[in-house]
């Protein structure tokens, strides 16, 4: 049937579609960045132009489906369906399936040079590990599934609102800022570079034994095997083999001492990880709270390489909305600037993530957030609230985005992933 309701030169059409077909349509339209009504219009137009009807579609369980079509298209469609002796529901299902068949899912956009993201801050407790994990999970999510995402254009407004917001819900609760988008579907390696092994433990992994092989051994030039053999897959049910973890070992406490005897020690992490890069689109390094040689090596690994676009790799700085984070930030940026100057590095700042934000803390939190926003370069690229789901996921030793995929923190992690892409 056709409703008198209209938008522009379109008229509202109400029919029925099977749930599975409607979901496939919704995902494919989102993958191509077009509206569902446009996809249906194209499918109906192509179906009308066919010489005859296609193979029947199973429409059992079809329920109400509404869209807007150009004026007159539905009447033409009804006439063609009548000539072909198929029901309107069957004809619509065939039209949608025809569009799906002729509009395949786009290829995953993979970087030509493996992206290297160094998550850092020499202050402990700011949540570097949570951001490392959440960012990696968001980048590895299924490209054939829709996930709730805070749209990038809303970030500035959210930051502005947060700086003056003190309610318990916070700006994250605004449903107008959320849309459903396909996952990036990238191959991601998370590197636990912290001897405390927080990332390894949070994702349910096991720290590497002290008497075995480790990333530290490879950086120190004393490998005991292939580094690939140490890598484990994370939650294949959710990430389908796209998300991997290189676990940490407590021997990393000795890394600075061992690096002091290594030639070109600033390149030690790069020498260790370069053989792995062909397997991944993105490598994310969870750095220790340190300004020692290990941080030098991490920063060097994140430098921009020949032929790489600015902003693809670099340092992602995690802070909190309080004064001690600002002090630590100054120390870290001084170290990075020294490396830039001493080694002539093109090391990009990917941005600042304000983590564990809670506007209920009042002026200390809101004024500190405003201070981060005022920096401009690097700019704030993420705001993650202090909510219970992340803590629960850590307790359960599960990835946040599989434990609580629709939580506000998960939505914020996806927004961060897109903001720095």
């Amino acid at each position: 049937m056709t409703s008198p309701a209209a938008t522009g030169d379109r008229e509202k059409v109400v029919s029925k579609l099977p749930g599975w077909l409607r979901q496939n349509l919704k995902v494919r339209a989102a993958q191509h960045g077009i509206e569902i009504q446009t996809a249906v219009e194209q499918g109906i137009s192509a179906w009308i132009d066919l010489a005859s009807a296609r193979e029947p579609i199973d429409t059992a369980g079809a329920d109400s489906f509404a869209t807007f079509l150009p004026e007159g298209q539905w009447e033409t469609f009804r006439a063609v369906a009548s000539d072909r002796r198929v029901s309107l529901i069957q004809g619509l299902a065939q039209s949608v399936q025809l569009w799906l068949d002729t509009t395949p899912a786009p290829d995953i956009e993979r970087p030509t040079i493996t992206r290297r993201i160094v998550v850092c801050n020499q202050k402990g407790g700011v949540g570097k590990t949570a951001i490392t994990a959440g960012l990696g999970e968001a980048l590895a999510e299924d490209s054939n599934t829709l996930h709730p995402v805070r749209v990038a254009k809303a970030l500035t407004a959210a930051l502005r609102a947060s700086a003056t917001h003190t309610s318990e819900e916070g700006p994250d609760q605004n449903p107008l800022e959320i849309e459903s988008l396909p996952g990036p579907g990238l191959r991601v390696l998370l590197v636990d570079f912290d001897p405390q092994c927080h990332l390894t433990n949070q994702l349910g992994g096991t720290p590497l034994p002290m008497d075995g092989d480790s990333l530290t051994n490879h950086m120190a030039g004393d490998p005991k095997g292939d580094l690939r053999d140490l890598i484990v897959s994370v939650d294949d049910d959710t990430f389908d083999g796209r998300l991997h973890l290189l676990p940490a070992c407590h021997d990393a406490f000795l890394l600075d001492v061992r690096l002091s005897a290594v030639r070109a020690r600033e390149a030690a992490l790069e020498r260790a990880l370069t053989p792995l890069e062909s397997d991944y689109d993105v490598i994310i390094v969870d750095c220790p709270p340190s300004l020692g040689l290990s941080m030098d090596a991490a920063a060097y690994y994140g430098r921009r390489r020949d032929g790489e676009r600015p902003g693809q790799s670099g340092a992602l700085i995690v802070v909190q909305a309080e004064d001690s984070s600002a002090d630590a930030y100054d120390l870290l940026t001084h170290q990075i600037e020294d490396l830039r100057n001493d080694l002539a590095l093109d090391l990009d700042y990917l941005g600042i993530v304000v983590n564990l934000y809670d506007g209920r803390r009042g002026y200390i939190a809101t004024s500190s957030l405003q201070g981060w926003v005022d920096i401009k370069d690097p700019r704030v690229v993420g705001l993650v609230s202090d909510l219970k789901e992340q803590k629960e996921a850590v307790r359960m030793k599960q990835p946040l985005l599989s434990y609580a995929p629709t939580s506000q923190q998960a939505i914020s992690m996806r927004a961060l992933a897109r903001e720095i892409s």
Side-chain angles (χ1 to χ4, degrees):
M1 63 172 287
T2 302
S3 164
T7 173
D9 60 350
R10 291 176 177 266
E11 55 189 358
K12 185 176 181 180
V13 173
V14 180
S15 184
K16 291 185 176 182
L17 266 184
W20 62 269
L21 188 55
R22 178 165 43 191
Q23 181 63 20
N24 290 346
L25 170 65
K26 186 177 180 181
V27 171
R28 191 68 53 80
Q31 289 174 330
H32 286 276
I34 66 174
E35 295 184 355
I36 290 176
Q37 64 184 19
T38 301
V40 176
E41 174 191 343
Q42 293 173 356
I44 288 177
S45 179
W47 186 82
I48 289 173
D49 290 341
L50 292 175
S52 60
R54 287 162 57 92
E55 289 295 319
I57 302 291
D58 183 2
T59 59
D63 54 14
S64 182
F65 173 77
T67 189
F68 290 89
L69 297 175
E71 290 183 4
Q73 187 185 50
W74 188 249
E75 289 305 315
T76 302
F77 170 73
R78 290 169 64 99
V80 172
S82 177
D83 288 344
R84 294 176 181 171
R85 297 181 180 179
V86 298
S87 68
L88 294 179
I89 296 173
Q90 179 62 216
L92 180 59
Q94 290 183 18
S95 298
V96 170
Q97 188 60 56
L98 175 60
W99 182 83
L100 290 169
D101 292 343
T102 56
T103 314
D107 293 334
I108 301 296
E109 294 186 14
R110 304 194 185 280
T112 54
I113 298 174
T114 299
R115 298 183 64 192
R116 300 156 324 281
I117 300 174
V118 177
V119 182
C120 53
N121 191 332
Q122 62 89 208
K123 183 181 185 298
V126 297
K128 294 186 296 294
T129 297
I131 297 300
T132 299
L135 174 60
E137 293 160 24
L139 290 170
E141 281 192 309
D142 187 10
S143 62
N144 292 310
T145 303
L146 298 182
H147 312 274
V149 182
R150 182 174 314 292
V151 294
K153 63 185 178 184
L155 178 61
T156 301
L159 290 170
R160 187 181 301 115
S162 298
T164 57
H165 198 99
T166 57
S167 76
E168 183 169 350
E169 289 187 344
D172 286 348
Q173 302 299 322
N174 186 352
L176 298 178
E177 298 175 356
I178 308 299
E179 64 179 81
S180 295
L181 296 174
L186 299 178
R187 303 164 300 181
V188 179
L189 174 64
L190 303 176
V191 177
D192 193 347
F193 196 41
D194 188 341
Q196 298 174 92
C197 306
H198 290 321
L199 180 62
T200 301
N201 290 323
Q202 286 187 20
L203 293 177
T206 301
L208 298 171
M210 290 284 287
D211 59 352
D213 201 8
S214 67
L215 177 59
T216 298
N217 289 337
H218 285 256
M219 292 179 65
D222 186 27
K224 298 182 179 180
D226 190 332
L227 200 57
R228 281 186 177 84
D229 295 338
L230 305 180
I231 293 173
V232 296
S233 188
V234 177
D235 193 356
D236 283 346
D237 289 342
T238 299
F239 302 104
D240 196 25
R242 291 181 299 274
L243 183 63
H244 292 169
L245 168 69
L246 178 56
C249 177
H250 294 302
D251 68 355
F253 279 115
L254 304 173
L255 179 58
D256 279 9
V257 175
R258 297 182 67 180
L259 284 182
S260 64
V262 174
R263 293 184 61 187
R265 53 181 175 261
E266 69 278 356
L269 183 60
E270 179 163 287
R271 287 195 296 269
L273 295 181
T274 295
L276 307 178
E277 291 179 4
S278 61
D279 298 334
Y280 299 99
D281 301 306
V282 186
I283 295 179
I284 308 177
V285 181
D286 183 26
C287 294
S290 166
L291 293 178
L293 298 178
S294 56
M295 185 59 220
D296 284 352
Y300 185 88
Y301 184 59
R303 80 194 190 287
R304 192 192 321 155
R305 295 177 180 171
D306 290 342
E308 188 172 21
R309 290 191 293 111
Q312 289 297 287
S313 298
L316 184 66
I317 303 174
V318 182
V319 301
Q320 288 182 295
E322 40 78 30
D323 293 341
S324 61
S325 278
D327 296 336
Y329 169 83
D330 288 340
L331 292 172
L332 175 63
T333 53
H334 283 152
Q335 180 179 11
I336 290 176
E337 291 307 314
D338 286 344
L339 284 169
R340 276 174 157 179
N341 295 329
D342 294 345
L343 301 176
L345 301 183
D346 288 324
L347 179 57
D348 296 328
Y349 289 110
L350 300 183
I352 296 171
V353 180
V354 182
N355 192 30
L356 300 173
Y357 180 76
D358 187 351
R360 294 173 299 174
R361 294 176 183 144
Y363 178 74
I364 291 178
T366 57
S367 62
S368 180
L369 175 60
Q370 187 60 56
W372 293 119
V373 173
D374 289 342
I375 290 177
K376 306 300 183 186
D377 184 20
R379 65 187 179 92
V380 174
V381 292
L383 177 66
V384 182
S385 297
D386 186 9
L387 300 172
K388 63 183 177 65
E389 285 82 5
Q390 176 64 52
K391 299 180 180 68
E392 291 173 351
V394 170
R395 176 65 63 87
M396 298 300 293
K397 296 186 181 298
Q398 294 181 18
L400 170 67
L401 272 65
S402 55
Y403 174 78
T406 61
S407 67
Q408 295 303 322
Q409 287 168 319
I411 290 170
S412 296
M413 294 297 184
R414 297 186 187 105
L416 170 63
R418 284 163 173 79
E419 192 71 14
I420 66 172
S421 294

